[in-house]
C-alpha cells in the first residue's frame, strides 16, 4: 500500500533522514520506533507531503506521491494525526470533526455516529470547545477528525505523548479496533512497548537510518530493542 524507497530529507545543512526504505502492506499496523530526534516525525510529514525529500520516492497504492500536494494526498486516502494533536481549540468537537470531512464529496453525517461509537466521550462533549478537552480526549478528537476523511491509511504521530497510562491503553486498543475494521495504520512512537505490542511489523530508526526490522513480537523480544527502548 505504501512504499518508501531510499528517502533522504534535510533541513538546510542538517540531514535528518538518510536513505530510509520500508513498506506497509494493506491491513497492517506498522510501527516505526526511535528515540527523540531519530527522524520519525520528519518521515511522517514527508509522506503527507508537508516536507519535500531531497532524494527518494514515496508510492501510495502504486502512485508516486513524492511531489503531490498534501490536500491531494489526503483526498487519495492517506490521513495524518499530527504530534500534539493540533485540534482547532476555538471550534466545537462537532466542528473539528466536520473539518476532517472537508475534502470529501457527498454526504458524511452518518460518519459522525461511527466516530462517536469509537469515542463515546466525544459524543458527550460534542458541543464543547476542543480547548476544554483533556489531552487524551484531544487525541481521540484528532483521531476522529482523521477518520472523518475515510482514510485507507492512517498515519499516527506519537499518539501516546503526554497521556496517562490508562488513556494510552485505551488509545492503542482503539487503534487496533480501527485497523480490524479495515484501515491500515502506520504509527510512530517513542513508547516502543505499546507500539510494538500492537504492530504486525516494526522498524527501529536511529539517527535517520533504519537499523532493525521484524514482526512486532520479534522486535519486542530482541536484545537490542530491550536494551535501548524497553529499559533493560
Ligand atoms: P521526536 O520524537 O523528538 O519528535 P523525531 O524522531 O520525530 O523526534 P524529528 O522531529 O523528525 O525526530 O527530527 C529529526 C532531526 O531533524 C532532529 O535532529 C531535529 O533536530 C531535526 N529537525 C526537525 N525539524 C527541524 C526543523 N524544522 N529545522 C531544522 N532541524 C529540524
Amino acid at each position: 500500500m505504501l512504499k518508501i524507497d531510499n528517502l533522504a530529507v534535510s533541513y538546510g545543512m542538517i540531514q535528518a533522514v538518510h536513505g530510509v526504505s520500508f513498506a506497509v502492506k494493506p491491513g497492517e499496523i506498522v510501527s516505526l520506533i526511535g528515540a527523540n530526534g531519530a527522524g520519525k516525525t520528519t518521515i511522517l510529514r514527508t509522506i503527507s507531503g508537508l516536507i519535500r525529500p531531497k532524494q527518494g520516492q514515496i508510492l501510495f497504492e502504486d502512485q508516486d506521491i513524492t511531489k503531490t500536494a498534501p490536500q491531494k494526498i489526503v483526498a487519495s486516502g492517506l490521513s495524518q494525526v499530527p504530534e500534539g494533536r493540533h485540534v482547532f481549540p476555538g471550534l466545537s468537537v462537532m466542528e473539528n470533526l466536520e473539518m476532517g470531512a472537508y475534502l470529501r464529496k457527498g454526504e458524511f453525517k452518518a460518519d459522525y455516529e461511527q466516530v462517536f461509537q469509537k469515542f463515546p466521550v466525544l459524543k458527550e462533549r460534542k458541543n464543547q470547545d476542543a480547548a476544554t478537552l483533556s489531552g487524551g480526549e484531544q487525541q481521540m478528537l484528532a483521531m476522529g477528525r482523521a477518520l472523518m476523511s475515510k482514510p485507507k491509511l492512517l498515519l499516527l504521530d506519537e499518539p501516546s505523548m503526554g497521556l496517562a497510562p490508562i488513556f494510552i491503553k485505551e488509545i492503542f486498543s482503539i487503534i487496533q479496533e480501527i485497523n480490524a475494521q479495515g484501515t491500515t495504520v502506520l504509527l510512530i512512537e517513542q513508547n516502543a512497548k505499546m507500539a510494538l505490542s500492537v504492530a504486525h511489523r516494526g522498524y527501529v530508526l536511529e539517527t535517520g537510518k533504519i537499523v532493525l526490522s521484524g514482526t512486532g513480537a520479534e522486535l519486542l523480544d530482541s536484545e537490542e530493542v530491550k536494551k535501548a527502548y524497553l529499559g533493560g
Side-chain angles (χ1 to χ4, degrees):
M1 178 173 256
L2 182 74
K3 192 161 180 284
I4 309 295
D5 188 29
N6 201 22
L7 195 71
V9 189
S10 294
Y11 298 100
M13 299 292 282
I14 304 165
Q15 187 162 353
V17 176
H18 303 260
V20 162
S21 301
F22 67 93
V24 182
K25 296 179 209 151
E28 280 190 316
I29 299 180
V30 171
S31 293
L32 199 58
I33 63 163
N36 268 320
K40 304 181 299 297
T41 298
T42 302
I43 292 175
L44 228 55
R45 289 174 60 82
T46 309
I47 297 171
S48 297
L50 299 167
I51 304 175
R52 294 291 171 215
K54 69 168 195 181
Q55 171 199 300
Q57 196 183 38
I58 304 165
L59 296 179
F60 177 54
E61 294 194 310
D62 298 324
Q63 300 292 315
D64 187 342
I65 58 162
T66 320
K67 292 184 179 147
T68 306
Q71 66 273 24
K72 285 203 174 138
I73 294 177
V74 175
S76 74
L78 194 159
S79 216
Q80 183 182 345
V81 181
E83 186 174 1
R85 352 290 187 214
H86 295 285
V87 294
F88 301 102
L91 298 185
S92 70
V93 165
M94 284 298 273
E95 287 163 340
N96 267 275
L97 292 177
E98 193 179 339
M99 292 301 279
Y102 181 70
L103 290 168
R104 280 179 59 189
K105 297 184 181 79
E107 191 50 50
F108 57 84
K109 298 274 185 284
D111 296 318
Y112 289 122
E113 274 316 310
Q114 281 187 10
V115 169
F116 291 148
Q117 264 172 17
K118 284 191 188 63
F119 306 105
V121 71
L122 296 182
K123 188 167 191 174
E124 286 166 31
R125 306 192 189 288
K126 66 181 181 184
N127 297 317
Q128 236 170 276
D129 278 0
T132 66
L133 302 179
S134 75
E137 290 160 357
Q138 288 190 18
Q139 179 62 45
M140 292 178 190
L141 180 55
M143 285 168 65
R145 182 181 57 189
L147 289 175
M148 288 297 289
S149 73
K150 290 259 166 198
K152 297 176 202 164
L153 175 63
L154 188 63
L155 307 181
L156 295 167
D157 191 344
E158 305 236 7
S160 79
M161 193 172 68
L163 300 187
I166 185 159
F167 263 131
I168 296 180
K169 267 190 135 166
E170 191 175 349
I171 292 284
F172 275 85
S173 124
I174 296 169
I175 292 169
Q176 285 184 297
E177 188 186 320
I178 291 168
N179 174 251
Q181 291 168 354
T183 308
T184 306
V185 176
L186 173 62
L187 175 70
I188 66 170
E189 260 297 342
Q190 282 193 48
N191 187 330
K193 192 165 178 213
M194 282 312 287
L196 294 176
S197 336
V198 300
H200 299 104
R201 291 186 307 110
Y203 296 88
V204 179
L205 194 70
E206 275 175 16
T207 52
K209 294 191 186 108
I210 288 177
V211 293
L212 266 181
S213 65
T215 65
E218 281 165 359
L219 290 175
L220 273 175
D221 209 34
S222 122
E223 286 309 318
E224 288 110 306
V225 171
K226 280 188 194 160
K227 222 163 100 191
Y229 301 99
L230 303 173

